[in-house]
Amino acid sequence: MSSTTDLRYEVFVSDMVPVGTPPRPDDGPSLWSPLSHALIYGKNEALLTDPPVTREQADTLITWVKSHDVALRYIYLTHAHFDHYATTNYLLHRFPDATAVASDAVLARIAAGTPGGVFPDQITNIFGKALPEPPVTVQGSVFPVGGLLLDGHELFAHEVGHSDGDDTTVLHVPALDLVVAGDVVYNNVHQYLGEGRDGGLDAWHQALDKVAALQPRFVVASHKDTQRGDPASDIDETRRYLDAGAVVLDQSTNRVDFFHAMKQRYPERVNPWAIWLSALQLFGN
């Protein structure tokens, strides 16, 4: 993606990964959703967002980043879900001149979620040896309040609150009319609604309001359909999915009903396993 400036962005999407468990009630494949990584770069330096989960995904991403022949200076983490930071240290070993940057709250949550520098059993039981070697706790720098300069262009991090998890941030690149939205915005992939009760969906709407207020032309979603671009209209598409989820949650009495109802409403969205992951959290055992 080019622009009228010398700053550009491109998006690489890591493929879905089989996870096997928990199995879907419709016997469909259990897959981790696709993960997108935005590379924002000028003539001399670049910033990469949200590294993937497995070493194999990271190796593919490293090759892609190196193909741009621009020095990677920063790795920006939008939020503290493990699938958006798991291979950060793995990448930093390959790009020793780069620095991980995130909000103070995101770095604190990563530290709390990786005691002793390792992932909890819940994650290792799913991905096993595909995960990077410990330590996985990210020793990053807090993103400057006044913004970050990349090849002379200002980049800003905005804390937007709760989306599909707490303390989510987005990256705003005014020169490109671009927002890298993390999990605030989804792009035709089933959204994780597991934290939607007790005001979670309303809070997510408020986060979307903050993204919309930046008036972006392009929005990069962390979970993205590879057949689509990065339209700002995904902000409203994400809202509609939240509204549908609220209705289905109110009408469903168990997790299986919730799964089938959301899948029926959105048959074209990528990875129905994410609905099941939401249902398990929403309805417990």
Side-chain angles (χ1 to χ4, degrees):
M1 174 62 63
S2 63
S3 73
T4 56
T5 76
D6 59 359
L7 201 65
R8 298 170 178 264
Y9 90 93
E10 293 181 31
V11 179
F12 183 85
V13 180
S14 292
D15 292 336
M16 291 188 284
V17 177
V19 292
T21 183
R24 282 165 45 178
D26 63 351
D27 296 323
S30 298
L31 302 166
W32 202 263
S33 291
L35 301 164
S36 68
H37 324 284
L39 187 72
I40 300 156
Y41 63 100
K43 294 179 179 178
N44 302 303
E45 54 186 5
L47 176 148
L48 179 71
T49 66
D50 289 352
V53 178
T54 71
R55 296 191 311 275
E56 183 176 358
Q57 288 175 325
D59 286 337
T60 303
L61 180 61
I62 288 166
T63 299
W64 179 77
V65 171
K66 287 185 174 180
S67 72
H68 291 77
D69 198 27
V70 178
L72 184 64
R73 297 300 185 200
Y74 304 102
I75 298 176
Y76 176 70
L77 311 176
T78 59
H79 62 294
H81 281 167
F82 79 95
D83 56 332
H84 301 276
Y85 74 81
T87 55
T88 300
N89 291 342
Y90 188 87
L91 264 71
L92 289 173
H93 284 306
R94 274 65 175 180
F95 298 103
D97 294 330
T99 300
V101 289
S103 72
D104 187 59
V106 167
L107 292 172
R109 284 189 174 274
I110 291 174
T114 54
V118 299
F119 292 118
D121 290 344
Q122 181 182 13
I123 296 172
T124 56
N125 288 342
I126 294 176
F127 291 98
K129 294 181 179 180
L131 293 168
E133 295 292 328
V136 295
T137 302
V138 178
Q139 303 297 328
S141 298
V142 176
F143 197 102
V145 174
L148 194 69
L149 283 180
L150 187 74
D151 261 8
H153 296 278
E154 290 184 316
L155 280 61
F156 300 96
H158 296 272
E159 298 184 22
V160 298
H162 183 86
S163 58
D164 64 359
D166 290 330
D167 295 320
T168 304
T169 73
V170 302
L171 183 69
H172 183 209
V173 188
L176 297 176
D177 291 327
L178 169 70
V179 169
V180 181
D183 280 2
V184 181
V185 177
Y186 279 61
N187 183 327
N188 202 42
V189 176
H190 283 288
Q191 298 168 209
Y192 176 66
L193 304 181
E195 298 186 19
R197 293 192 186 274
D198 302 320
L201 297 181
D202 290 337
W204 195 336
H205 272 290
Q206 293 170 19
L208 288 165
D209 290 342
K210 294 175 182 178
V211 174
L214 298 172
Q215 298 182 317
R217 181 181 175 193
F218 306 104
V219 175
V220 177
S222 284
H223 299 288
K224 170 182 165 61
D225 184 342
T226 58
Q227 302 304 307
R228 291 165 51 101
D230 307 304
S233 58
D234 280 333
I235 298 172
D236 287 334
E237 291 290 341
T238 301
R239 289 188 194 277
R240 284 190 279 272
Y241 191 99
L242 295 179
D243 291 340
V247 171
V248 171
L249 182 58
D250 185 60
Q251 294 175 345
S252 301
T253 58
N254 60 74
R255 59 196 186 187
V256 174
D257 286 348
F258 179 86
F259 173 84
H260 287 297
M262 287 302 293
K263 183 183 175 187
Q264 184 176 17
R265 281 177 178 253
Y266 289 96
E268 80 290 350
R269 282 216 174 199
V270 174
N271 198 24
W273 184 78
I275 310 173
W276 188 232
L277 199 63
S278 299
L280 293 173
Q281 182 68 27
L282 290 166
F283 292 91
N285 296 319

